[in-house]
Amino acid sequence: MTRKTEPSAPKPTRPRRKPSGGRLDGHWLLQDAKARFSELVRRVRSEGPQHVTVHGRDEVVVISAEEFRRLTGDQTGAALVAAMQASPHRDIDIEPARAPMPTREVTL
């Protein structure tokens, strides 16, 4: 007994692998990124962001620390200090009044 099969839909295509370790330009398979992490870091510095794929989909993009700081802004607090120093109300005392801390007597 033979079975007749319906023609199947074409399978989605994945990016073609290059012979150089299975990496497209700027794209790395996860296992290649793990095995050649030092090279990945060097390429981030020299070529820019590098994509790491899992099962054919982009999962993460590796960027330099300098680029990360540029994108997220410098979170040092320097901008807040500068704004407070430039305020026309900088002479106002904003120190909160603190109540004395409660104490208890202990006999030894």
Side-chain angles (χ1 to χ4, degrees), residues 2-20:
T2 59
R3 222 188 278 190
K4 289 187 177 182
T5 59
E6 295 290 322
S8 61
K11 293 182 180 180
T13 59
R14 290 187 179 173
R16 301 187 107 217
R17 285 182 161 192
K18 277 191 174 180
S20 62

Side-chain angles (χ1 to χ4, degrees), residues 24-106:
L24 285 171
D25 191 35
H27 288 76
W28 297 71
L29 299 173
L30 177 62
Q31 62 266 23
D32 293 335
K34 290 190 316 187
R36 298 165 54 200
F37 189 70
S38 294
E39 182 183 348
L40 174 68
V41 171
R42 278 193 299 276
R43 289 192 186 250
V44 165
R45 288 184 186 149
S46 65
E47 298 174 12
Q50 301 289 304
H51 300 255
V52 178
T53 62
V54 177
H55 302 296
R57 294 184 313 225
D58 274 356
E59 288 295 325
V60 298
V61 177
V62 182
I63 61 173
S64 67
E66 178 183 320
E67 179 72 6
F68 179 76
R69 281 191 293 275
R70 187 187 69 76
L71 291 171
T72 59
D74 195 9
Q75 306 278 331
T76 63
L80 177 61
V81 171
M84 291 179 76
Q85 288 174 341
S87 170
H89 306 289
R90 66 183 170 272
D91 297 329
I92 296 174
D93 185 19
I94 60 171
E95 187 71 30
R98 301 192 190 272
M101 294 197 53
T103 58
R104 63 184 175 137
E105 293 209 16
V106 177

